[in-house]
Amino acid sequence: MLDHFRRSLDTIAAKHRTRALRAVEMRGDGRLVRDGRELLDLSSNDYLGLARHPLLMKRSADYVHQYGAGSGASRLITGTSAPHLAIEQKIAGFKGTAAALVFATGWQANAAAIPALAKAVQGTAIFADRLVHNSIHTGLRAASGQVHFYDHNDYDHLTRLLADHDNAPARLIITESVFSMDGDRADLARLNQLSVDHDALLYIDEAHATGVLGARGAGLTADHPVPEGSGRIVMGTFSKALGGFGAYVACPDVVYDYLVNMCAGLIFTTAPPPAMLGAMDAALELVPDMNAERAHLAALGEQLRAGLHRLGYDTLGSTTQIVPFVVGTEAAALALGNHLMDNGVAALPIRPPTVPKGTSRIRFALRSTLTEQDIETVLSAVAAWEKP
């Protein structure tokens, strides 16, 4: 087997897809330190700069001192504490749902919740955007029922698929609200209506919208209420704009009860620890009042897109704090990433299988702690790049 592993690594290297772990020290001012160099940080998902916010650090430490380092067991044994239930109530209030559950990570939440939901009805028809996150694809592979992919944000295609499977015993539509690699948005108004028209349950991943978009930073779903008579499940994370770790599924009461009884990724794993809950609590306190930071972040995104367009580059359909710069081949993305690093910018290349073949890119992930001058520094570095 070891020889097979080596040959597999050789194949990956030949495609310029080798990955490695390298130590980075995050700073609170939109900078990081890597290999002893201070760089502008345009790769982290700490969109509001909360990862080093004093309140998150203090409350996380306070929870450790009060409740201990670990939770001790899975949720259904003795792992559910009063802080777990309190945080879940706060999440439900933040997202405007009846209930919520916390998970260890966003990947775990998607990979575990989706197959659990599909299990409720034999023959469930699932309709997912082709560009959903790896964790959703993992959940879909584990799900029973028929999975149908619609072309990215193509709701005419989705409508045809739904009509073709109107005789299915149940229907589940899955999308991201902000797509993690393209930085564009789903049309939630249209998806809400399709869910009503076709009696489908809508599952929305808000990992990259939570904290950044929507009223009070509660995600795009906050601006698109659930239509009367329909159901909706919203997943999101605390590990991006909310500065900590962990994830949530916000949902109707009946879905909460069902997942507690049927979701293996919740039942058979140790409950999230107190430190994680403390950071969650602080983030939920801060984020609703961070409108100024959200406005600044949106302006930085517009500035970067406009500058890249002036230089003749396409940013796909980005309208958010995620701005892709597609260069095509893996080699070109690596070369551009190294060039940016040499010019003081940490914006790391994204390559297949994370993105489709031929669309390797730099994904600029902006933070509200950056300045307009920082964006001009990035654009100057891009302008100086000579594509191989």
Side-chain angles (χ1 to χ4, degrees), residues 51 56 102-106 108 236-240 242-248 272-273 275-281 283:
L56 268 74
V102 294
F103 286 78
T105 71
Q108 179 205 34
T237 63
F238 283 86
S239 54
K240 297 176 176 60
L242 274 65
F245 193 71
Y248 63 84
M276 180 171 144
L277 302 178
M280 289 179 174
D281 188 62

Side-chain angles (χ1 to χ4, degrees), residues 105-299:
T105 71
W107 196 97
Q108 179 205 34
N110 282 332
I114 290 168
L117 295 168
K119 189 187 300 183
V121 182
Q122 185 175 3
T124 296
I126 306 173
F127 308 88
D129 190 294
R130 289 190 186 279
L131 294 190
V132 289
H133 190 264
N134 171 273
S135 57
I136 295 177
H137 281 282
T138 300
L140 293 171
R141 287 193 294 271
S144 58
Q146 304 171 335
V147 178
H148 310 276
F149 290 101
Y150 60 92
D151 294 336
H152 178 51
N153 279 347
D154 186 339
Y155 304 111
D156 291 336
H157 186 201
L158 173 58
T159 300
R160 293 193 298 272
L161 289 173
L162 287 164
D164 289 344
H165 297 86
D166 259 351
N167 60 347
R171 283 155 298 282
L172 175 64
I173 301 171
I174 301 178
T175 186
E176 297 179 46
S177 61
V178 171
F179 287 85
S180 59
M181 289 298 128
D182 288 18
D184 56 346
R185 312 180 191 206
D187 185 343
L188 296 190
R190 181 121 185 233
L191 284 166
N192 276 344
Q193 190 58 53
L194 285 171
S195 71
V196 173
D197 293 344
H198 295 273
D199 190 23
L201 180 64
L202 185 56
Y203 182 103
I204 303 173
D205 180 330
E206 289 247 85
H208 291 272
T210 300
V212 175
L213 299 170
R216 300 166 41 252
L220 287 180
T221 52
D223 297 337
H224 298 277
V226 182
E228 186 175 352
S230 67
R232 188 168 73 185
I233 299 170
V234 182
M235 170 270 174
T237 63
F238 283 86
S239 54
K240 297 176 176 60
L242 274 65
F245 193 71
Y248 63 84
V249 170
C251 55
D253 282 328
V254 66
V255 176
Y256 172 95
D257 291 336
Y258 176 80
L259 291 175
V260 166
N261 285 275
M262 298 297 292
C263 182
L266 177 80
I267 297 168
F268 298 107
T269 191
T270 302
M276 180 171 144
L277 302 178
M280 289 179 174
D281 188 62
L284 289 171
E285 181 178 319
L286 291 170
V287 162
D289 295 323
M290 297 185 72
N291 289 331
E293 288 84 353
R294 282 187 280 275
H296 177 62
L297 183 59

Side-chain angles (χ1 to χ4, degrees), residues 71-81 84 264 266-272:
S71 58
S74 61
R75 292 293 301 271
L76 290 177
I77 307 299
T78 60
T80 296
S81 64
H84 283 95
L266 177 80
I267 297 168
F268 298 107
T269 191
T270 302

